[in-house]
C-alpha cells in the first residue's frame, strides 16, 4: 500500500522537476469531474454499427479484455497488431486505415497530431476520464498540450534484459552474485561485453527510434537529439557491436523466455512478460529487466482515434471500459506494464506494485529519460543510420 503512494509521489516529483510546474491537475488537462455515468452511456446514444477496429502492439492486452467488452456491449472487436511506431505511422499517413483505435507511442504522436491524422478526444464521452493520474497527464501534456488527443494505455521503459544464468556463463562468471557492469547499457553497447555475450544471443528491438535514442543516451547525448551528427555518432558506435547481434525483433518475448537470446535491448514490460513465461514453462530460465545506472528511456503508449475513424463512439465505449479500475489493473497485473489509471492502483497486485521493473522507485525514475518528439528530418536520418547498421555497412 505504502509503496504505491510513494510511487505516485515519485512520479509527481519527476513530472514537476521536468516541467517546473505546481502539483495538481494542470488547467489545460482539466477533466471536469464527470458525473458517474452507466458503463454503457456512450453506447446507449450510439447508432454506429456494432464494430470496433483496434490496431495495437503485440502482447499488449489482457487476456479477457476484448471478450468481456464484446460480451457486455455486443460490439464486435477486430484486433490487429503492428510491431513498431514506424509501421503505424506509415499507415496513418497513408490514411483510410479503417481503424477506430490506434496505439502510438507518445514519441510519434506529435507529428500525427500536427499532421491532422488524429481526432480530438471528446472527454465528455469518457465518464472515467478523471481516473487518470494527473502527474502522468501533465507529463504527456508536454507532447499533447491539454491532453487533447491521447489517452494513456500503459507506460514502461526501454532498457536491458538478461537471462541470468546464460549471461553468467558467457561472461565466465558465477551467477550469484552475477558481476554485471556498473552501467547495464554496457551489455548491449560495449563491444567488450557484446563480444562475450554473442555466444548466448543478443537481441535488439527492430526500429530506428527504439535503438538510436538509447545509443545516443549511452554516448552521453540527448536521447531525443534531432542532430544528424548525433545519429551518425550513434551509428558509428553501434557498428562496433553489429557483428555480435543475433536478432532484430520487436516480439522477442519467447526468444528471451526460451533461451534463444540471453541479452536484450528491449522494453521492460516485455522483459517482464518473458520472465513470467519462463517461470510458467518451468524451463529454468531466469529473466530480469535491469535498471541502468544512467537510466532507462521512459515511454508512454496511448490510445488515439484516427481522424477518419468510422466508429468513434465505439472507440469511446472501449476507452471508458478500459478506464475501469479493474480493467486497467488487469493489463498491469498480467503483462508487467505500468498503468496511468490512478484509480486502478489499489487493484494492482502487491508484488507487481512493488516490482521496480514495472513501477521504478523515485531514485530510478529521476534518472530516466522522458519521451520527447523528433522532427521528420530526424526520423529520416535515424532510419538511414539504422538501415546501414542492420546491413552492417
Ligand atoms: C509490446 C508492447 C509495446 C511497447 N508488447 C513499446 N511501445
Amino acid at each position: 500500500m505504502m509503496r504505491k503512494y510513494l510511487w505516485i509521489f515519485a512520479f509527481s516529483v519527476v513530472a514537476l522537476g521536468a516541467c517546473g510546474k505546481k502539483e495538481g491537475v494542470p488547467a489545460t488537462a482539466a477533466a471536469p469531474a464527470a458525473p458517474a455515468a452507466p458503463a454503457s452511456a456512450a453506447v446507449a446514444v450510439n447508432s454506429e454499427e456494432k464494430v470496433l477496429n483496434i490496431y495495437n502492439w503485440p502482447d499488449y492486452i489482457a487476456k479477457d479484455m476484448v471478450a468481456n467488452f464484446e460480451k457486455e456491449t455486443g460490439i464486435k472487436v477486430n484486433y490487429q497488431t503492428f510491431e513498431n511506431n514506424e509501421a503505424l505511422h506509415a499507415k496513418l499517413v497513408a490514411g483510410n486505415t479503417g481503424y477506430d483505435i490506434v496505439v502510438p507511442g507518445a514519441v510519434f504522436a506529435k507529428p500525427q497530431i500536427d499532421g491532422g491524422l488524429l481526432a480530438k478526444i471528446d472527454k465528455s464521452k469518457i465518464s472515467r476520464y478523471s481516473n487518470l493520474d494527473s502527474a502522468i497527464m501533465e507529463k504527456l501534456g508536454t507532447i499533447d498540450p491539454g491532453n487533447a488527443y491521447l489517452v494513456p494505455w500503459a507506460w514502461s521503459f526501454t532498457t536491458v534484459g538478461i537471462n541470468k544464468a546464460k549471461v553468467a556463463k558467457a561472461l565466465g562468471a558465477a551467477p550469484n552474485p552475477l558481476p554485471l557492469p556498473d552501467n547495464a547499457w554496457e551489455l548491449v553497447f560495449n563491444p567488450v561485453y557484446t563480444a562475450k555475450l554473442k555466444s548466448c544471443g543478443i537481441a535488439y528491438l527492430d526500429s530506428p527510434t527504439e535503438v538510436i535514442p538509447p545509443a545516443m543516451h549511452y554516448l552521453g547525448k540527448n536521447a531525443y537529439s534531432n542532430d544528424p551528427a548525433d545519429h551518425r555518432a550513434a551509428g558509428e558506435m553501434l557498428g562496433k557491436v553489429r557483428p555480435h547481434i543475433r536478432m532484430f525483433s520487436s516480439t522477442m518475448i519467447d526468444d528471451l523466455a526460451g533461451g534463444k537470446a540471453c541479452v536484450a535491448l528491449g522494453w521492460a514490460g516485455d522483459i517482464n512478460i518473458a520472465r513470467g513465461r519462463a517461470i510458467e514453462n518451468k524451463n529454468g530460465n531466469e529473466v530480469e529487466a535491469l535498471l541502468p545506472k544512467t537510466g532507462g528511456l521512459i515511454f508512454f503508449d496511448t490510445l488515439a482515434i484516427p481522424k477518419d475513424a468510422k466508429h468513434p463512439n465505439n472507440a469511446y465505449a472501449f476507452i471508458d471500459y478500459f478506464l475501469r479500475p479493474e480493467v486497467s489493473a488487469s493489463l498491469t497485473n498480467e503483462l508487467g506494464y505500468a498503468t496511468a489509471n490512478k484509480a486502478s492502483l489499489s487493484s494492482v497486485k502487491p508484488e507487481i506494485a512493488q516490482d521496480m521493473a514495472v513501477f521504478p522507485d523515485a531514485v530510478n525514475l529521476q534518472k530516466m529519460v522522458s519521451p520527447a518528439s523528433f522532427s521528420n528530418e530526424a526520423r529520416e536520418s535515424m532510419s538511414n543510420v539504422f538501415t546501414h547498421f542492420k546491413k552492417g555497412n
Side-chain angles (χ1 to χ4, degrees):
M1 208 56 183
M2 193 55 203
R3 177 66 180 68
K4 278 176 215 157
Y5 291 114
L6 266 178
W7 174 76
I8 296 165
F9 174 73
F11 215 114
S12 299
V13 167
V14 173
L16 287 172
C19 322
K21 283 198 197 126
K22 286 222 180 81
E23 193 169 3
V25 184
T28 46
S40 51
V43 185
V45 291
N46 180 356
S47 54
E48 286 169 6
E49 63 172 327
K50 289 190 161 277
V51 171
L52 177 67
N53 299 316
I54 301 182
Y55 200 37
N56 195 357
W57 306 71
D59 298 289
Y60 216 20
I61 192 157
K63 218 171 33 304
D64 299 326
M65 225 186 248
V66 163
N68 288 345
F69 174 77
E70 287 182 323
K71 217 184 296 161
E72 255 185 54
T73 60
I75 296 170
K76 162 93 183 77
V77 175
N78 299 309
Y79 191 88
Q80 290 179 357
T81 60
F82 59 87
E83 288 193 12
N84 54 41
N85 272 311
E86 284 81 357
L88 168 61
H89 190 68
K91 281 230 173 169
L92 286 172
V93 169
N96 279 321
T97 61
Y99 297 116
D100 304 303
I101 292 183
V102 293
V103 191
V107 168
F108 268 65
K110 194 177 181 316
Q112 291 160 5
I113 292 169
D114 293 349
L117 305 175
L118 304 178
K120 263 201 176 152
I121 296 288
D122 182 347
K123 293 170 189 165
S124 73
K125 293 193 171 168
I126 309 174
S127 71
R128 298 182 182 84
Y129 192 85
S130 58
N131 283 352
L132 292 163
D133 185 334
S134 58
I136 292 181
M137 296 313 279
E138 186 170 344
K139 221 173 206 329
L140 208 48
T142 60
I143 287 170
D144 170 26
N147 302 120
Y149 294 89
L150 310 172
V151 175
W153 173 249
W155 67 272
S156 182
F157 54 99
T158 304
T159 188
V160 178
I162 57 166
N163 176 322
K164 280 177 154 178
K166 289 192 192 294
V167 164
K169 198 168 167 223
L171 295 181
N176 272 316
L178 176 59
L180 291 172
D182 204 26
N183 179 9
W185 289 119
E186 306 269 346
L187 293 172
V188 290
F189 293 138
N190 181 345
V192 172
Y193 283 99
T194 55
K196 290 184 186 155
L197 295 164
K198 179 180 180 216
S199 60
C200 61
I202 300 176
Y204 265 40
L205 288 170
D206 197 3
S207 147
T209 51
E210 299 287 356
V211 173
I212 312 286
M216 290 196 282
H217 175 61
Y218 173 71
L219 290 176
K221 299 180 187 298
N222 171 9
Y224 294 96
S225 171
N226 281 313
D227 186 347
D230 290 341
H231 308 151
R232 281 196 298 274
E236 220 166 275
M237 185 270 286
L238 288 167
K240 300 195 177 111
V241 298
R242 177 64 190 92
H244 309 148
I245 299 168
R246 181 175 291 176
M247 62 178 91
F248 289 87
S249 162
S250 299
T251 53
M252 57 174 78
I253 296 171
D254 283 325
D255 297 315
L256 261 181
K260 249 192 228 155
C262 63
V263 180
L265 165 58
W267 303 306
D270 275 16
I271 298 163
N272 294 336
I273 300 174
R275 177 185 55 190
R277 212 165 279 181
I279 294 170
E280 238 169 66
N281 295 345
K282 297 194 177 79
N283 60 15
N285 289 326
E286 204 184 327
V287 177
E288 188 182 325
L290 302 175
L291 292 155
K293 189 178 148 191
T294 59
L297 272 61
I298 295 178
F299 60 82
F300 297 104
D301 292 318
T302 61
L303 300 173
I305 304 177
K307 190 77 162 244
D308 54 3
K310 300 253 175 357
H311 313 98
N313 287 321
N314 294 345
Y316 286 121
F318 184 83
I319 294 172
D320 208 26
Y321 160 81
F322 169 65
L323 288 180
R324 287 182 199 173
E326 66 284 6
V327 177
S328 293
S330 70
L331 181 79
T332 299
N333 285 333
E334 282 179 36
L335 303 179
Y337 275 93
T339 174
N341 184 342
K342 196 167 171 174
S344 80
L345 292 177
S346 56
S347 307
V348 171
K349 292 181 197 156
E351 67 268 29
I352 303 277
Q354 278 152 32
D355 188 337
M356 296 260 276
V358 185
F359 294 104
D361 64 0
V363 173
N364 280 285
L365 270 180
Q366 293 277 14
K367 289 192 247 176
M368 290 195 191
V369 183
S370 294
S373 302
F374 288 111
S375 66
N376 292 340
E377 296 73 25
R379 288 202 314 277
E380 202 177 311
S381 143
M382 283 188 284
S383 164
N384 288 335
V385 166
F386 190 71
T387 305
H388 285 300
F389 158 60
K390 262 182 91 172
K391 274 200 231 142
N393 62 17

